[in-house]
Amino acid sequence: MSDSSGKEPTSEGEKLAQQHCSTCHLPVAPDALDKETWIKHVLPAMAPKLGLEVWQKTQYYQPPTATISLADWTKLVAYYEKLAPEKPTQTKPPTKLVNDWSIFKLVKPTEIKSELATTTMVAFDSARGTIYSSNETSSGLYQWSSSLKPALIRQLPSPAVQASFIDRPNGSHQTLLTCIGTMLAVDQARGEVLQLDLDKAATTPPVSIAQQLPRPIQSTPGDFNRDGLTDWIVCGFGHNVGGLYLLKQRPDHQFNKLVIKEVPGATQVIPGDFNKDGWLDFMALFAHADEGIWLFTNDQKGGFLERNLLRFPPVYGSTSFQLVDFNKDGKLDILYSCGDNSDYSRVLKPFHGIYLFTNQGNNQYKQTYFYPINGCTKAIAADFDHDGDVDIATIAFFGDLKNKPAETFVYFEQLAPAQFRPHAVPVSQYGRWICMDAKDWDHDGDIDIVLGNYSQGFLNEVGFTPTWNGYLPLIVLENSTSL
């Protein structure tokens, strides 16, 4: 759907789109969105970025500081208006969904009737057989027992969106919490990274190791300077302002915040020694404007050298990626999901879903699988059915909630390389899934799944009235493979 094929433009409007849009991101082809979305939403939002003024979404004015003339902008708008389809296009899935429970069974927790479910995080603490969750309503941190009974153990300064669990040599069981600051898409640097002793959570407040972060959504550990101390890379998604930050641990166990890349949209980091030089590198997913996956190679001097591996148009709304050897050739492939649909073009998109990019060597990747899922939010790859290959679980917060609610959770059973049987596990009535984790929760040898329910707001479909449970913060899909 992008104008990134390298072909020469065939019209002046296309040439102008490539010239002006490519300064910030991959140009987007007209058929990626419908005509109304282009003319009334996307183009009016893009015009100010080129210095134009907009009145009532359809009338444009050219101040002296504009980087494009009004005449050229008119040609660019005409290009999209002429070639965009009247209605959003659709993509036919390669395989129909199978509506069944497959290898899973539902385990429902106790409802929390005192507040609407606005879950922002679910995390298995498999070492203790518990689950932790947080929410936007109260910024509470909940601990769920093995029987799924909740206990509010701490109020946080803002909702937690990620947790990493750490067992210290002194026997303490701790967690590092990434608190977003605000769920609203605004430029407010209120996020924090907190360290909390879970055994003393009710009586001992957390320790802040970084503050004033722009809507951080993930913190990833690693000893990036080989000094024997754990550092953290923080993805500050932000809004118009954001960044990728290194929290470098000092000998006194305090942290210095260093900027790695100062752009919004930092979403996820996966560390690894990718060039086999003994120093820890990482890959990062960016999901705002210039979307894609970049490799950051450790320069062994305290910094990183970046190289783009995959780029995606800004309408993709990248949401997650994972490095997994799907074809068992010894090279890590990329599982990628896209479907964030809370921006200027809030229509269903045929290119949202999951993609498999097979590693060709020398940092080259080739798309070998795509399955369309409206509004796909996250994909997790694991051998869920214990048959020796890698399966996939997906959630879709911005799915087609009105017509295809079954897409909001799908389990992809791998049958052969790049061939999957998709199971629509019937859980859409219990909630709207915004977060997911997968681990062996009950210690029976297989991988279970927990889904977090954010039950209110963010509705793009006109006339749609939700029917899911608004007071059920989470559900567990217990894997029955080993039973």
Side-chain angles (χ1 to χ4, degrees):
M1 289 295 180
S2 70
D3 288 347
S4 56
S5 61
K7 296 180 181 178
E8 289 296 320
T10 58
S11 69
E12 190 172 0
E14 182 180 3
K15 181 179 179 181
L16 289 166
Q18 292 191 7
Q19 176 186 342
H20 292 280
C21 300
S22 62
T23 58
C24 296
H25 53 72
L26 284 180
V28 183
D31 64 351
L33 303 171
D34 63 282
K35 199 182 300 292
E36 181 178 359
T37 300
W38 274 120
I39 302 305
K40 292 185 179 181
H41 300 284
V42 175
L43 291 173
M46 295 299 104
K49 298 181 184 299
L50 296 175
L52 297 175
E53 295 179 0
V54 186
W55 185 61
Q56 293 187 344
K57 293 187 177 182
T58 56
Q59 298 184 41
Y60 300 95
Y61 301 92
Q62 179 191 343
T65 55
T67 59
I68 186 173
S69 69
L70 188 58
D72 282 349
W73 178 256
T74 302
K75 294 173 185 175
L76 188 151
V77 171
Y79 161 67
Y80 282 99
E81 186 171 19
K82 178 182 178 181
L83 298 179
E86 290 293 334
K87 296 182 179 180
T89 57
Q90 297 182 353
T91 298
K92 185 177 180 181
T95 309
K96 289 185 178 180
L97 292 175
V98 178
N99 294 288
D100 64 11
W101 287 93
S102 187
I103 59 174
F104 298 102
K105 67 176 184 179
L106 175 67
V107 184
K108 290 172 57 179
T110 303
E111 295 182 6
I112 301 178
K113 290 292 189 180
S114 60
E115 57 187 26
L116 278 173
T118 55
T119 306
T120 56
M121 177 195 79
V122 285
F124 279 128
D125 183 1
S126 54
R128 302 289 181 96
T130 58
I131 298 171
Y132 288 89
S133 71
S134 186
N135 62 46
E136 185 188 22
T137 303
S138 64
S139 296
L141 179 65
Y142 284 88
Q143 182 186 64
W144 299 80
S145 67
S146 57
S147 58
L148 292 188
K149 293 183 178 180
L152 177 61
I153 62 171
R154 170 63 59 180
Q155 294 291 145
L156 301 172
S158 68
V161 291
Q162 187 222 6
S164 297
F165 300 101
I166 309 160
D167 285 310
R168 299 295 185 189
N170 63 6
S172 67
H173 188 56
Q174 299 185 349
T175 183
L176 193 99
L177 298 169
T178 303
C179 297
I180 193 170
T182 175
M183 290 288 286
L184 298 175
V186 294
D187 285 316
Q188 294 182 2
R190 293 167 41 197
E192 292 188 63
V193 177
L194 304 175
Q195 191 168 289
L196 178 66
D197 188 331
L198 290 169
D199 296 324
K200 304 175 182 178
T203 58
T204 304
V207 176
S208 178
I209 70 170
Q211 297 177 322
Q212 296 181 331
L213 295 165
R215 301 179 71 224
I217 57 175
Q218 189 204 47
S219 302
T220 302
D223 182 5
F224 293 95
N225 58 357
R226 300 208 310 185
D227 64 353
L229 301 173
T230 299
D231 312 305
W232 295 83
I233 293 179
V234 180
C235 293
F237 189 93
H239 179 48
N240 295 312
V241 177
L244 193 63
Y245 307 100
L246 174 65
L247 302 183
K248 181 181 176 183
Q249 187 171 179
R250 305 194 308 248
D252 64 358
H253 303 302
Q254 300 300 305
F255 292 83
N256 293 334
K257 184 178 74 173
L258 306 173
V259 176
I260 299 174
K261 187 178 178 72
E262 203 155 27
V263 297
T267 299
Q268 186 183 350
V269 158
I270 298 177
D273 182 7
F274 296 111
N275 60 358
K276 303 294 190 295
D277 66 351
W279 290 73
L280 197 58
D281 315 304
F282 67 92
M283 290 187 192
L285 173 65
F286 288 84
H288 181 83
D290 193 11
E291 299 191 20
I293 296 172
W294 274 259
L295 170 63
F296 289 80
T297 304
N298 199 318
D299 67 4
Q300 305 180 20
K301 300 175 184 178
F304 300 90
L305 305 173
E306 66 176 270
R307 172 179 177 174
N308 177 252
L309 302 179
L310 295 169
R311 289 182 79 195
F312 309 107
V315 289
Y316 269 45
S318 303
T319 50
S320 74
F321 82 113
Q322 193 172 346
L323 301 177
V324 181
D325 184 3
F326 272 89
N327 57 4
K328 301 180 183 180
D329 66 352
K331 297 191 292 288
L332 293 174
D333 310 305
I334 293 178
L335 173 66
Y336 162 82
S337 68
C338 60
D340 186 354
N341 215 4
S342 184
D343 212 324
Y344 305 117
S345 56
R346 299 183 181 186
V347 294
L348 299 173
K349 300 179 174 70
F351 40 81
H352 279 177
I354 57 169
Y355 295 76
L356 178 58
F357 295 95
T358 300
N359 194 331
Q360 306 295 299
N362 297 317
N363 292 319
Q364 301 296 312
Y365 295 85
K366 178 183 178 182
Q367 181 182 320
T368 53
Y369 182 76
F370 167 65
Y371 195 95
I373 302 174
N374 291 298
C376 190
T377 306
K378 188 173 184 178
I380 294 179
D383 185 5
F384 288 102
D385 57 6
H386 272 206
D387 66 351
D389 56 24
V390 182
D391 313 301
I392 304 169
T394 64
I395 55 173
F397 184 69
F398 288 106
D400 186 351
L401 305 173
K402 185 176 182 180
N403 301 305
K404 299 179 181 179
E407 288 185 344
T408 55
F409 176 81
V410 180
Y411 162 61
F412 290 83
E413 173 194 3
Q414 186 168 188
L415 306 175
Q419 294 183 30
F420 297 87
R421 178 185 293 126
H423 299 265
V425 180
V427 293
S428 61
Q429 62 181 302
Y430 301 106
R432 186 184 181 192
W433 318 120
I434 195 171
C435 48
M436 168 174 61
D437 196 15
K439 288 185 179 66
D440 184 6
W441 168 58
D442 50 10
H443 295 166
D444 66 351
D446 53 31
I447 298 174
D448 310 297
I449 295 173
V450 58
L451 305 178
N453 176 20
Y454 195 101
S455 65
Q456 65 177 9
F458 296 103
L459 293 175
N460 294 339
E461 294 168 288
V462 178
F464 172 71
T465 302
T467 57
W468 53 69
N469 191 325
Y471 296 94
L472 195 65
L474 56 86
I475 61 170
V476 172
L477 297 176
E478 185 178 352
N479 194 329
S480 59
T481 301
S482 61
L483 298 180

